[in-house]
Amino acid sequence: MNAPRNHNGGFGSVDFFRRIPADLTEATSLGSTMSLCAILLMSLLFCSELIAFLSTDLTTDVAIDVNSANTVRLNFNVTFLDLHCDYVSIDVLDSLGTNRQNITKNVEKWQMDEDGVKRQFSGRNRETREVRHEEHDQTLDEMHEDGVHVKALTADEFDTHIASNDMVFVNFFAPWCIWCQRLHPTWEKFAENVLEKEMPISVVNVDCVANAELCQKQRVQAFPTLRWFHIGEAQMPDYKMDRTVNQLVSYATRKLELDEKLKNWETEKKEMGAAAPAKPRALQNRPEHPGCQISGYLMVNRVPGNFHIEANSVNHNLNAAMTNLSHVVNHLSFGEPEARQSRKIKKMLAGVPPEYKQFNPMDGISYVSDKFHRAHHHYLKIVSTHFGSSKKDELVKYQFLQQSQEVSYDELSVPEARFSYDLSPMSVTVKRTNQKSWYDFLTSLFALIGGTFTTIGIIDGTLYKVFKSKKL
């Protein structure tokens, strides 16, 4: 049979895909095997190319930080294990000369119990109220001309005196304390009023310099500390109102009235039994563990500086021998907090490996000082990190590295927990690479399929000739 002729004239000479008549082809087992290999290989290469097209890699670049913002947000949440909220103060210093002390704006305080659970809200954006002191016409020496009305106790006398008197009001002081010096005339005048009114109260002084061990045992953290004792037991919290004679007398009167009501109720209960009225509120005495959680944020300049949390008070002088700055960093970060980030940003960060997300490496770490006159200082190196492949989708976060060490203080200096920070002039850019366009993908795909088909064809032709020559 004659092969069909090409009736297209000269146009058929440019046919790149010329057909071979079916009766001129021959199917072989070798060809079938090679065809299956070709199909499998092309399928594998197609899947690999498709996966490569759909997946991307993260790369990092280091460059000069072009961030033009003047400030950066500093977020913190720190729990102090042995410091009362009344004595917690935040200060900020930096190389531009900024010196902000006792910052209360955007700061929240919670008093903690001995189990580390929030017990009492101590205020937000609230400045500590300055107590009022009373001025007197007479000096303390002039008041003593008619006798000393305040009894001075030593460590040896303290326990005995507390046990032998139902009501004792104690002023724990230090001779060098300026607030104690201002209180002494008022305290003497108050003791004189107690005597004149025949109140069953013993008003005493304890010098915490001469009786340091006693004051440590009583956990006196600041001077002056005015503490009420009832039948040998300290009644907490300590007195923190105005330091005037009238206010002190009013406080003592309320304590006596409560005690009298309690005694009357106990008598009525014995006489009336179950018919007795309800028990009155006893003397106020709630546990007051000196722990404080402080949280909030600060807007700090983008220059080297530090913020430190120290024991300080506008109404007291702190007892350096009893100041313990042991703390737990619950959270510390720079930039916008995660809670305020949009769903799009959270989705973007979800695909970022952990090594590129060192935003809060201090979270959950405890820094405990087992000795007085010591505190931890933290040094933070902040690196601005830019995520995204374009300016439109760019997200700026702040990673940082930290180093901490425990620092010793002299006996008269009050320790502080210091966080020193420094922003690097370099920034890190994290972006996705190897993102192929659709035409790159198609070009690679056709090259792989065509190359595989051609290569397998060459191998098939070679093997066919080898096996055919052996048969001949």
Side-chain angles (χ1 to χ4, degrees):
M1 179 182 290
N2 294 329
R5 290 171 173 252
N6 184 3
H7 299 288
N8 293 330
F11 184 73
S13 61
V14 297
D15 185 2
F16 294 154
F17 306 100
R18 301 190 179 193
R19 304 292 186 267
I20 300 176
D23 55 353
L24 298 181
T25 60
E26 178 183 4
T28 64
S29 58
L30 176 63
S32 299
T33 302
M34 298 305 293
S35 297
L36 290 175
C37 291
I39 292 173
L40 291 175
L41 184 58
M42 284 188 289
S43 299
L44 178 62
L45 292 175
F46 171 78
C47 293
S48 300
E49 185 65 19
L50 181 62
I51 292 174
F53 172 68
L54 296 177
S55 63
T56 57
D57 294 330
L58 285 176
T59 60
T60 59
D61 294 323
V62 178
I64 296 294
D65 189 4
V66 295
N67 194 331
S68 59
N70 294 324
T71 60
V72 62
R73 174 171 170 149
L74 190 161
N75 312 290
F76 62 92
N77 185 325
V78 182
T79 298
F80 286 87
L81 306 178
D82 195 23
L83 185 64
H84 198 282
C85 284
D86 290 345
Y87 307 141
V88 174
S89 174
I90 300 178
D91 301 342
V92 174
L93 304 172
D94 64 35
S95 59
L96 290 181
T98 301
N99 185 358
R100 292 185 288 164
Q101 297 183 355
N102 196 21
I103 298 173
T104 58
K105 184 178 180 181
N106 303 316
V107 175
E108 185 176 288
K109 297 178 182 179
W110 282 88
Q111 196 68 32
M112 312 296 287
D113 62 17
E114 61 273 11
D115 297 322
V117 179
K118 292 179 180 178
R119 181 180 62 82
Q120 180 182 0
F121 183 59
S122 295
R124 176 180 175 84
N125 298 341
R126 188 182 72 181
E127 295 185 3
T128 304
R129 184 184 72 89
E130 293 188 21
V131 301
R132 188 164 62 90
H133 291 77
E134 188 169 350
E135 300 295 335
H136 300 276
D137 297 333
Q138 293 178 305
T139 64
L140 184 61
D141 292 335
E142 291 174 343
M143 292 181 181
H144 286 167
E145 290 179 357
D146 60 346
V148 178
H149 301 89
V150 178
K151 181 177 178 60
L153 293 181
T154 65
D156 296 333
E157 302 168 336
F158 184 81
D159 291 337
T160 303
H161 188 85
I162 294 295
S164 59
N165 292 271
D166 288 348
M167 302 284 186
V168 184
F169 206 0
V170 184
N171 171 26
F172 294 97
F173 75 97
W176 49 263
C177 167
I178 184 63
W179 305 110
C180 302
Q181 296 170 15
R182 294 186 64 180
L183 176 64
H184 281 322
T186 301
W187 195 245
E188 174 66 22
K189 201 72 175 178
F190 164 65
E192 188 175 348
N193 272 259
V194 167
L195 185 62
E196 291 175 356
K197 297 177 182 293
E198 297 183 350
M199 291 178 158
I201 302 171
S202 175
V203 182
V204 302
N205 277 335
V206 173
D207 185 345
C208 285
V209 173
N211 304 278
E213 292 185 3
L214 171 62
C215 293
Q216 289 183 10
K217 181 180 177 181
Q218 292 293 323
R219 299 188 62 80
V220 176
Q221 292 189 321
F223 304 124
T225 292
L226 305 180
R227 184 166 298 169
W228 185 274
F229 287 83
H230 178 246
I231 315 179
E233 183 180 356
Q235 304 297 301
M236 306 302 287
D238 294 328
Y239 178 86
K240 297 175 182 177
M241 293 178 285
D242 288 338
R243 296 167 189 164
T244 63
V245 174
N246 289 337
Q247 192 67 52
L248 289 167
V249 170
S250 176
Y251 175 79
T253 302
R254 288 197 303 272
K255 289 291 189 181
L256 292 175
E257 290 174 352
L258 288 172
D259 182 57
E260 188 65 26
K261 288 181 180 179
L262 186 60
K263 289 180 179 179
N264 293 338
W265 175 84
E266 290 175 349
T267 302
E268 291 178 357
K269 186 177 181 181
K270 289 180 181 180
E271 296 175 352
M272 303 174 62
K279 183 179 180 179
R281 183 173 66 90
L283 292 175
Q284 185 179 15
N285 184 22
R286 66 171 185 263
E288 190 169 63
H289 180 76
C292 182
Q293 182 183 101
I294 181 168
S295 62
Y297 69 90
L298 306 170
M299 299 303 298
V300 298
N301 294 321
R302 289 174 55 88
V303 296
N306 73 79
F307 83 98
H308 50 270
I309 305 174
E310 63 178 350
N312 193 12
S313 173
V314 297
N315 301 312
H316 301 81
N317 286 116
L318 271 295
N319 183 3
M322 285 295 294
T323 303
N324 188 340
L325 271 295
S326 296
H327 57 277
V328 179
V329 179
N330 304 309
H331 178 73
L332 183 68
S333 65
F334 294 84
E336 288 296 321
E338 293 184 5
R340 298 181 58 182
Q341 293 174 354
S342 65
R343 184 177 301 177
K344 180 180 178 181
I345 292 176
K346 293 180 179 179
K347 184 178 180 180
M348 179 188 299
L349 292 176
V352 178
E355 57 266 25
Y356 298 137
K357 296 192 294 185
Q358 300 298 313
F359 307 136
N360 44 10
M362 298 181 70
D363 286 14
I365 301 179
S366 300
Y367 300 91
V368 178
S369 300
D370 55 1
K371 297 179 180 178
F372 292 113
H373 309 295
R374 299 178 70 87
H376 283 84
H377 287 194
H378 311 283
Y379 303 90
L380 316 178
K381 191 67 175 181
I382 308 168
V383 180
S384 178
T385 307
H386 303 253
F387 297 91
S389 55
S390 64
K391 287 290 184 182
K392 181 179 179 181
D393 300 328
E394 187 177 66
L395 168 66
V396 179
K397 297 285 288 182
Y398 295 90
Q399 301 187 85
F400 68 90
L401 301 174
Q402 68 90 16
Q403 290 184 340
S404 302
Q405 65 179 17
E406 196 173 26
V407 178
S408 298
Y409 287 77
D410 60 58
E411 293 186 357
L412 298 180
S413 298
V414 178
E416 61 185 18
R418 178 176 298 182
F419 297 80
S420 300
Y421 53 84
D422 184 14
L423 281 86
S424 172
M426 310 301 290
S427 66
V428 175
T429 301
V430 181
K431 58 184 179 181
R432 298 190 178 276
T433 58
N434 295 339
Q435 292 182 332
K436 289 187 176 182
S437 60
W438 63 269
Y439 49 84
D440 288 333
F441 169 67
L442 291 179
T443 301
S444 300
L445 188 61
F446 290 152
L448 289 174
I449 294 176
T452 302
F453 185 82
T454 303
T455 303
I456 295 296
I458 294 173
I459 296 174
D460 176 65
T462 302
L463 294 177
Y464 178 77
K465 289 182 179 180
V466 171
F467 293 138
K468 186 175 180 181
S469 60
K470 288 184 178 181
K471 291 180 180 180
L472 295 176

